[in-house]
Amino acid sequence: MPILGLPKSSIPLSPAHFDIERAIRSNILALHPYRCARDDYQDGILLDANENALGHSIVPETNSDIENDALSLPLHRYPDPSHDEIKSRIATLRGLPGPRNVFLGVGSDEVIDLLQRVCVNPGRERILITPPTYGMYAVCAQVNDVGVVKVPLELGGAEGEGGEKGRFSLKVEEIKKAIDADPSIRLIFLCSPGNPTGTLLSLSAIRSILEYTGFTGIVVVDEAYIDFASAPENSATSLISEFANLVVMQTLSKGFGLAAIRLGIALAQPPIIQVLTNTKAPYNVSTPTATLALSALSPQSLARTQKKIGDLLKGRADLLAGLASLRDLGVGPVIGGNNANFVLVPILSRGVGTPDSKRAQNVYKALAEENGVVVRYRGSEMGCEGALRITVGSEEENRVVIRKLGEVLNVL
């Protein structure tokens, strides 16, 4: 069954064992997407979408430049449903052919939800996740009545941190065994760099799963933190041209510092992108979001983004050094690959020196409630016993968190 809106191509998809029509639910393939007014015309006297022709009635309260700029946008008109200029800039940035390789959503969470809805039959099929990992994969699965199979990452540190076999690396053979045991698995979600692990997954491990003939579904690599992972070649986007069964998720929330605008990105070959486009709600990306995203992707803004990422990487090194200085107070060696804009550090018990989740919880609460410093307790996550996740802040914030953490540890 052809995918509506996708131009015919004589180029076969690879890998050979992947068939897009088997990977997508049949009712989604047959779907005739809603056609909105702006799909046809975007200029002229627009009397086709029942918009308020007199415009909004917002009276500025602060008279700030930011507020006035926002109110000057055509807020009474529905936004462009395609946003091809944004997609073109993203494709260029990530080394992809063009807009047909890019899907835009309301944060990465919309992409996660859409992928589950288009690929996994409720009540019958499953996704596979690799804990410890981002919690929304399982939350979306529960909302969509989709089962979850868990294959934990490597939790031991005997082989070091990250890489092919170190802590928080993929256990590829265990994933293959899970696939063989359960043919109802239709999506595999991998987080790289991981949350909460901060660890980049090896591309060779991801490639092994993509090439595995026993899996006919889609592999999703969540790269929300990829801009902090040092080199562009670490991104799974380099595999998209080879693998039609791969979706790479990214976002403007982290490296670009635009969490408030909620713009998530899916990168893939055109067939999957077209399916997502056919299934999404009309006008899902707002005009204010699109305007800011386009500005963020200009050459001048990209240069500034790279400068700030460099500053945050330096801040990460300073934060790691500061945490190491607290070793005698019970701050353990940082775990994970440190490939994101946060670090994962275990709090140890007094005397014994083993990860102590109860002490870590007390430290977390004391920092937030008595010292005005909010970090994240992750000690209940698999392989993260006693761990706190600390985001890299500004230079001053990093100094404060180290000082306050030391003061709290002296008491607790």
Side-chain angles (χ1 to χ4, degrees):
M1 182 182 297
I3 297 171
L4 291 172
L6 184 70
K8 290 184 179 180
S9 173
S10 59
I11 302 173
L13 297 179
S14 62
H17 69 270
F18 178 69
D19 181 352
I20 185 72
E21 294 187 21
R22 292 175 60 196
I24 305 298
R25 292 168 56 190
S26 58
N27 62 308
I28 299 298
L29 285 173
L31 178 70
H32 284 260
Y34 176 81
R35 188 163 186 82
C36 55
R38 292 301 154 261
D39 283 324
D40 297 319
Y41 302 104
Q42 297 189 22
D43 300 307
I45 297 176
L46 300 174
L47 303 176
D48 57 345
N50 303 332
E51 299 153 329
N52 185 334
L54 301 183
H56 67 75
S57 303
I58 300 173
V59 178
E61 291 189 352
T62 63
N63 201 33
S64 69
D65 290 341
I66 294 175
E67 188 174 26
N68 288 331
D69 287 346
L71 295 179
S72 69
L73 296 170
L75 300 179
H76 65 306
R77 298 295 184 192
Y78 287 112
D80 176 1
S82 61
H83 301 292
D84 280 343
E85 191 173 357
I86 296 173
K87 293 177 181 178
S88 291
R89 291 188 181 186
I90 291 171
T92 299
L93 178 66
R94 301 311 191 191
L96 297 172
R100 287 189 173 275
N101 295 94
V102 182
F103 173 83
L104 304 178
V106 183
S108 296
D109 295 335
E110 182 183 14
V111 179
I112 295 167
D113 182 66
L114 262 183
L115 284 167
Q116 294 194 23
R117 286 195 282 133
V118 303
C119 295
V120 191
N121 282 289
R124 304 205 316 266
E125 294 179 327
R126 303 184 182 189
I127 65 169
L128 184 149
I129 63 174
T130 57
T133 192
Y134 182 45
M136 281 303 295
Y137 313 140
V139 170
C140 283
Q142 186 169 357
V143 168
N144 288 303
D145 192 20
V146 164
V148 178
V149 175
K150 299 179 181 180
V151 178
L153 299 171
E154 172 58 55
L155 303 180
E159 300 283 339
E161 305 294 337
E164 296 290 336
K165 300 291 184 181
R167 193 194 321 261
F168 300 139
S169 60
L170 286 176
K171 301 176 78 171
V172 174
E173 294 308 312
E174 295 300 314
I175 291 173
K176 290 179 180 179
K177 287 179 184 177
I179 292 166
D180 292 342
D182 190 347
S184 73
I185 296 170
R186 306 309 303 149
L187 288 174
I188 297 174
F189 282 95
L190 308 175
C191 198
S192 177
N195 178 11
T197 70
T199 302
L200 195 70
L201 301 178
S202 82
L203 291 186
S204 62
I206 295 171
R207 177 184 287 274
S208 294
I209 298 169
L210 289 165
E211 291 176 339
Y212 185 53
T213 58
F215 182 59
T216 58
I218 291 171
V219 177
V220 184
V221 181
D222 186 348
E223 291 190 343
Y225 298 94
I226 194 65
D227 293 309
F228 302 103
S230 301
E233 57 266 25
N234 290 324
S235 172
T237 55
S238 62
L239 302 175
I240 287 175
S241 62
E242 295 180 63
F243 295 99
N245 55 340
L246 170 64
V247 175
V248 178
M249 296 194 308
Q250 295 185 354
T251 179
L252 296 192
S253 294
K254 307 300 182 181
F256 285 80
L258 289 170
I261 74 170
R262 309 303 299 128
L263 189 74
I265 301 162
L267 306 171
Q269 290 190 18
I272 292 177
I273 296 300
Q274 188 64 53
V275 170
L276 293 175
T277 301
N278 291 351
T279 312
K280 75 174 181 69
Y283 309 119
N284 63 327
V285 176
S286 73
T287 295
T289 289
T291 302
L292 291 168
L294 194 61
S295 295
L297 293 162
S298 71
Q300 299 91 334
S301 296
L302 289 174
R304 182 179 291 185
T305 295
Q306 287 304 312
K307 168 66 167 60
K308 287 190 176 182
I309 288 172
D311 291 343
L312 286 170
L313 294 182
K314 179 183 180 302
R316 185 175 70 193
D318 293 341
L319 182 60
L320 290 169
L323 291 168
S325 73
L326 301 177
R327 193 68 50 84
D328 291 344
L329 294 176
V331 174
V334 170
I335 58 176
N338 297 319
N339 302 126
N341 67 331
F342 59 84
V343 299
L344 189 66
V345 59
I347 301 300
L348 310 180
S349 59
R350 287 182 176 274
V352 181
T354 56
D356 187 335
S357 290
K358 183 175 181 181
R359 189 184 186 202
Q361 266 195 317
N362 291 337
V363 169
Y364 157 70
K365 290 181 178 179
L367 282 172
E369 297 171 9
E370 300 168 22
N371 293 274
V373 175
V374 183
V375 298
R376 196 80 182 266
Y377 172 72
R378 298 282 80 180
S380 58
E381 299 283 338
M382 194 178 295
C384 302
E385 289 78 11
L388 299 179
R389 192 190 70 193
I390 305 175
T391 304
V392 179
S394 66
E395 189 174 345
E396 174 61 18
E397 288 170 335
N398 291 339
R399 282 197 295 264
V400 171
V401 72
I402 294 300
R403 175 167 55 83
K404 293 290 188 180
L405 180 58
E407 292 172 0
V408 169
L409 288 169
N410 264 314
V411 175
L412 296 178

